Amino acid sequence: MNLLALPAFTDNYIWMLHDGHKALVVDPGDASPVLETLQHEGLELAAILVTHRHLDHVGGLDRLRPHLRGLVYGPAMGHISGIDVRVGDGVYIDFQGLRVDVWDTPGHTADHVSYLVRFDAIKSDQPPLLFCGDTLFSAGCGRIYDGTAQQLFSALTRFSALPGNTAVCCTHEYTLANLRFARAVEPDNNAIAVHEQTCRKLRAQGQATLPSTISTELAVNPYLRCDQPQVVHSAQQHGALDSTALAVFTALRQWKDSFQT
Ligand SMILES: [Zn+2]
């Protein structure tokens, strides 16, 4: 299976998974890059997965519909037009023999779902793929719109327990800005400096810093490190009422909203 990150707008990626014949896309905010790739690679669009209702994730649905030989899957809430199958926790989708599990991951919005693709069913040792929309970013996490900090924290905690080699396929190229914040939170974390150097090189070459992996995120992402002493200390200097992981997480998320990168 091939994984492609199709650039869209200024900092979005539309993820495409294909086997050389059939393709699945995630969060097509814009139809053009998808249509161009389908044509260029000679692929048939077999499924669309939507994580949440924001326009930069669903804006291409109408134009893709005539090209789709399959279904559009999306969250049960959110009233997104153009969803054929409303999915949530406990549901799984079959794509070319692959198992795609749906997880409810509200927090960024109340209607957000994520998709976890596993390859064991086709006897491949390819690492799992996590399509997490605007929930987890590399070195960061989504803003809270109509979800809650508790919900977002729960979603991120659930991701943390995935195998370390799971590929984190999020929607936005925010990694360098997020790493500047991560460095402010944990100035002594060398893994952040190393990852920043790697990502700077990639961006200078016009390449994506994504997908990341769960093990990288556990090392550099402050929102997955709310029990680390330096993270707790920094959060308490920025309004955390106590040292519980949720209080630390909530303070970090609020601090980031006003952090100048
Ligand atoms: Zn969003």
Side-chain angles (χ1 to χ4, degrees), residues 52 54 56-57 108-109 112 134 145 172:
H52 67 294
H54 285 158
D56 59 335
H57 298 251
H108 170 67
T109 59
H112 200 294
D134 286 356
Y145 286 88
H172 294 287

